[in-house]
Each structure stands twice: as structure tokens, then as C-alpha cells.
Amino acid sequence: MTLFAPYRKDPEPVTEHSSPRFESPDSVRKGLASVAYLANEGIAGVVFLAERLGKPVLVEGPAGTGKTQLAKSVAEMTGSRLIRLQCYEGLDESKALYEWNYKKQLLRIQAERVTEAAGETWSDIEEDIFSEPFLMTRPLLEAIRAEEPVVLLIDEVDRVEVETEALLLEILSDYQVSIPELGTVAATQIPLVFLTSNNTRELSEALKRRCLFLHIDYPDLDREKEIVLTRVPGITDSLADQVVRIVRSIRGLDLKKAPSVSETLDWARTLVLLGIQSVDAATATETLNILLKYQTDIDKAAKDLAAPSSQR
Amino acid sequence: MDGTELSLPPGSSAGILESVSGFVKELRNAGIPVSLTENLDAVEALRHVPIEDRDAFKYALAATMVKNNAHWKTFETVFEVYFSLQGRRYQISGDGGSDETEDLLNELVGSPDSDGHGSGEGLTQEQLAEMLLRALMDGNDSMLRAIARTAVTRYAGMEPGRPVGGTYYLYRTLRQLDLESVMAKMLDRAKDANTDQSDLEERLTREEFEHRLDALRREIEAEIRRRLVADRGAEAVAKSVRKPLPEDVDFMHASREELAALRKAITPLTRKLAVRLARKRRHGRKGPLDFRSTVRHSLSYGGVPADPRFRYPRPSKPEIMVVADISGSVAAFARFTLQMVYAISSQFSRVRSFVFIDGIDEVTDYFKGTEDISAAIQRINTEADVIWVDGHSDYGHAFEVFWDKWGRDVNPKTTVLLLGDARNNYHAAQTWVLAEVAKKARHMYWLNPEPRSYWDTGDSIVGQYAAHCDGAFECRNLKQLERFVEHLG
Ligand SMILES: Nc1ncnc2c1ncn2[C@@H]1O[C@H](COP(=O)(O)OP(=O)(O)OP(=O)(O)O)[C@@H](O)[C@H]1O
Ligand SMILES: [Mg+2]
């Protein structure tokens, strides 16, 4: 009985992949721009390589700089299905890979005993409870079983424990999973894999070695302006320009948490909603709470904006 | 060869490969760990990038070999040294390439020939200054690159074979360009162009100009480096520009610039540390089976224990007392240590801090009600009462006062951290204080920012103090400090 479509008795690691999806780093950049993601040369270059080399990308950087969005946008651009594994502390194999539905299994056994159904041997039951209906597929297995192109997003990988990280590494090395009761499942195609990290923990050397590394920092002025123009409907060029320059200025302060791209966008949207054409110091100060999350940061920035000729 | 003989991938020139192996060697020399697999990955990656795409080339190397963002700057410098020239020789375009604007300038100033001599006679110094000013106002990058090149040719006075570092040439070039007065002129012109600029606008304009001037400085630096490489070879130049990675910078000898870099590096580091420790604490995760709770929950499954429950043990938190020497030589060390301890203060039931030079003062309150640890440390430096006689460290006296005033607060839950180089200026050591403290405290540790080989030389008496501690640790850099603090939590 073959439960899994891409089932192979003697699996070989997949190295071949179908014709490349991207022609050049620049075509990646353009493709992403067409789905409203503005990449720089570094981002485009690494995505391009990831596809060519069949290697996962470890994306790191401050909060809200478009790490998660990158995986989503690549999926959208390539018309792939996005499979997301959201990591958290305590995530383990049973939530990441697969799990036998043991409650269902227990109840099934229990039911057996109660009704004392004749003729069924233990081995019948065993075969039954370790079959597809009792299997709960989790994102990693799902990505491997997928026959259509997928993008696998392993989000916030720095939150998992070291043991789970080892599991990820294993899967990202062979793209196959062995389930003792059922056999080995190997991928028919290598998915594009993105792992994001907020760098709250040093990831293992082995995992880092396996991945291409991409650090996404706050975008430079021009790129952030493009992002604002693309993502905020109805904003004028001059307001967008002012917004990103003020944000850059605030990022230059010594803050607990600098404004992220998503906060820049929130701020820009608010200004548009308020019908503001041009930001002055007063408006900026009044709306700082959208840009900054900590009161100490807000106070600091307000003080700084009030002192116009400050030299840093 | 260092055993990493690489096969020649089809489609790339032998020259590139040769440079890559030299490049990797230098990355390792600079302290960046590059494994053999990563090296091979890099070579494999280069097969796929269009060789004339300099950005793609650079990011292919970075993505495969540099897996820590703190190492990026070092990577970039080494990249510049190894591939700026090769770039041209092997037709990796970039650095302006042949750009129309540049051609224009070259026409105006006479073409700077490839070995970096001659040229520039066509323009007077005033004309060049005016072109610079205009290019800066317009943010014309390719023009600025061309001007940077000309400025180096004219003003740096570089001579082949002269054993002078790049900083000297940079200084000479910048002195002639006088960027401060350029800045003033730019601001004037901006004001003339737009008379009713708001204060905010004015400030944003100034910041934009500062960015452009920084970019110009970097371009000049890069141009000087390229010429040095042409003159001396990549290896020699790489060696001369090598700097320690932020985590390895010595607290005691950090330059202003390095201290600024350290301050940046410490925030993500402490954040990581805090998360790691919080996790460790919660990590009694799968404690023993909680039988009663399991049975209670099994009722909803008809008596089947389908939902096993576990106990979560919670160890008690220690209380920390930090006693830090904040005199000149070790001030930076004290600052970073305090910053780190406070960043993870949720790991402790309480943190109290004391700072001294020859007098000692409790500064715990400075950290209360503020999330801004660096501001608190700033205040301590200006307000704490730490000078008794002459402002030279007197550990003995400081410890005596500590014992008198706060000794009774030390208890079996207290961990005491003593920070300093134990250079006591030949005052009385008063080691008995530490003997007493050790008797009452749970643990006591000494952290010393000096290299171990200097301990107990000259007026250092760290050995006498350490004898009463549970351990004395060398904490010269962030890496060592982090390792220690991690064990504390
Ligand atoms: N380069 C970009 N182009 C377009 N939009 C962007 C870009 N970068 C960020 N954004 C916007 O910022 C938002 C936040 O990005 P995202 O959620 O991907 O951040 P993140 O880096 O994953 O943050 P976190 O670390 O908090 O998870 C996105 O939804 C998107 O709207
Ligand atoms: Mg995210």
C-alpha cells in the first residue's frame, strides 16, 4: 500500500531540478518589483543563487524589514504555493513534521475493547492505526510531499530549541523524511526554502553552513521611498520623500527600537489619512507614537525633533 | 596552499579563482571563519553569476562565506582590496565603469591613466572645487567618483614604493578638499535656493549633505586603497588594513570609533543573551509527569490518559551586587559589563550596583525607572560620588567603605561581581573585606579587563583578591564578557 505519491523504496537525494526559474539576479529584482516587493542587489542576488544552487536561505535582520514578506513575495512571483512553518519555543517534530493522532488512536483501541469486535487481531489494529487517516501532516512533510512548486517559509527559526534545529538541518540536507511505520518520503523537487531569524539566538554552525546567508537591513533612502510609494496608495512623491528622510533621521538616534519599514508604512498611511501634505516638526512629534513603540524612545525623538540644528 | 585546492569550475577564468583563494585566506586571517564546504559553495556559486555583474559577484561570495552580519564590514574591506583591481583586469565592471559623466570630466581634466598618475592639469583648483560643490548639491554619484579619483591624483601625493599607510594619503587629500567649508557652502546654497525652509527641512537637508560627504570620503578612501593595491599587491594592503572584529576588540585599548562600534554591537548581543537565559530558566519544560493532573484530564477522554501533564520546576533567582571600578582605564569595561548585567536583570531577583574610584557610591537608583541604560551610565559618570582623595583607584579603601555601609546586605542568595584591573596604586589591599564578603555571599567573582599575563605585575594585586573569590576571569572583549555573563543567569 503506497500512501505517499512520491514514494521511493530506495531514495536518492534530488540534485536535478527543472529549468531554472530565474534568468539573472536582475530578473529576480524586476519580478519581485512586479509583486510590490522592492529588493536591492543583495536580496535579488541571493534569491537567484538559492534557486540555482538548491540551497535554503537564512534571512536575518531587524524586525519589520521584509524578511517574511520576501518569502511570500517570491512565492507570489513564481506562482508557487507558500507553506509556512511558524516557529515558537517548544516547537517539536510532532508539530513541524508529522504526528500520529494518538488521541484518535487511543480512542480507536478503546472502542475496540468496549465492543469486543470479534475477529480483529492486534496486528490488524496496529496496521490500521498507523495509516493515513491517523497521520497528521505538518508543514515540513507537506513541503516535501508537494508535487507542485512550493516555497517553504520557516519563520523565526531562532525561537526553536537546538534539538528542533537539528531536525530542520536534517531535512534541509536531504529533503527526505523517514517515517518508521511507513517508509521514506523523498522530495521530487527541491522547494525554495527561506528561514527567517530575528537573531535572538545564535543558530548552530551546521545550519548556517548549510544555508546561504542574507542580512536585510533597513533599506536605504531611495529604496524605502520606493517601498512607500508602492505600498501607500495616494501618497505624493514629496510626502514620501519627507517621510523617509525623517525616518532615517530618527533611526540615527540611539533608540531601544528603531522604526521598521512596516512602521514607516503605517506612519505614511496615517499622514495620508490625515490629509497632510507636508510634515512639520509639530505633526511629526504628535504622530511619533506610530513610528516608535517605547515611551523613552518617543521622548527622545520628540526632544530631538524640537532641537532643529542638532548636530550629531 | 592550505589544503583547499579547488577545481576549476567551467566558465570562469583561472585568474578569478586564484583571487578567490587569496581572498578566502585573507578572510580567515581577518578572523572570519570560513569552512571548506563554504569555500566550495562560493566557487560553485560563482559559476552561476554573470561574471560582469560585480554586485552579484560580491553577494555570491558574501552569502556563501560570511554568515554573521557583524563580519560584514570586514568582508567588504577585504573584498575591496582583492577585487577592486582584479575587477578591472578581469572585466568585472563597476566602480563607475566607463560612464558618460566620467568621460566628460576626464575630458575636462585630462584622462587619469590607469596607474594613477598625471591628469588633472586641465582644471584649476577653483574649478575643481566648484565642480565638487555642484556634484554634491545634485547628488551626482558618478561625477563624485570621478572627482574623487582626480582629487587623489592631485592631492594625495602618492609615490610608488613609499611605505606610508592609506590614512596619511587620505588626510592629505581631505585637507586640500576642506570638506567643512564645502559643507558650509552647501548649506548656504540650499538656503538661497529655498528661503523659507522650516527648521525641520533645514535639518534634513544638513543630514542628507552629511551622508553625501561621507560617501565622498569613502570613495576617496577606496580610490587610495586601489592605488595602494596596484603598488604593493593585495596581500600587503589587506594586512595593513586588518582590524579586529567587534567582538574581539580590547576594551582597554579601543579607539573612539571602535567604542562606538562596540556600543552598537552590545545591544543585539544582550538581547540574545536575555532571550537565551529566559529560555533556560523556563526550560524545566518537561519536568516529571504530574500524575494527578494527567488523571484529571483523562476524564474527558473516558479515562484514557490521552493528555499527559508535566510539572514545571522553577529555580530561585539570585540577587546580584556589582562593584565596579570606573576610573579612566577601565571605565569602558565597567560600562559594558553594567549594561549587560542590567539587560538581563529580569533573570535576577534584584540587581544592586556600586561604583568606585577611591570613594564608593551606590548607583542602583540611577537604573530605576529608566529603560535607557546608556543614559543611566552617562549620569553615573557625571553625578556619582566616587572620589575620596585624589581620584586614583583605591580598591582597599573602596572595599572597606563597602563593607561598612552595605556589608550587612550581603546574604546567601547574593552573587557579588567585582570589576576592575585591581591596580591599587600601592594602597593597602584590605583583602580581609573580601574574605568576609565571601563568607556571607553565595558566590563572588572577579572580572578583569586586562590580559591574564599582566595580572599581578606592577601594582596589580588581583591575585590577592581572587584568592577569596570563586573565580577570576579575564574579560578583555565582548566575547569573553558575554561568556561569563551567560553562566551567571
Ligand atoms: N522590500 C520591501 N518591499 C515592499 N514592502 C516591504 C519591503 N520590506 C518590508 N515591507 C513591508 O513591511 C512589512 C513588514 O515586513 P515583514 O513582516 O516581512 O518583516 P519581518 O522582517 O519579517 O519582521 P519581523 O522580524 O518582525 O518578523 C511587510 O508586510 C511589507 O508591507
Ligand atoms: Mg517576520
Side-chain angles (χ1 to χ4, degrees), chain B residues 112-144:
Chain B
D113 55 41
S114 50
D115 57 23
H117 286 283
S119 94
E121 259 92 274
L123 279 178
T124 66
Q125 184 158 355
E126 289 71 37
Q127 282 171 312
L128 188 63
E130 177 56 31
M131 283 179 88
L132 173 64
L133 191 58
R134 222 180 305 152
L136 281 167
M137 296 293 297
D138 300 344
N140 183 340
D141 291 339
S142 42
M143 181 67 102
L144 283 171

Side-chain angles (χ1 to χ4, degrees), chain A residues 36-39 62-70 156 198 223 227 231 261-262 265:
Chain A
Y37 189 91
L38 284 307
T65 47
K67 300 183 293 296
T68 304
Q69 186 64 47
L70 174 62
E156 315 199 344
N198 281 96
R223 191 158 69 91
I227 296 174
R231 298 243 164 189
V261 177
S262 32
L265 291 173

Side-chain angles (χ1 to χ4, degrees), chain A residues 12 21 33 111 116 138 142 150 157 161 184 227 263 294 302:
Chain A
E12 298 152 28
R21 278 176 262 194
E116 276 172 61
R138 307 295 192 202
E142 199 180 331
V150 294
V157 65
E161 274 91 34
T184 302
I227 296 174
E263 281 146 2
Y294 291 94

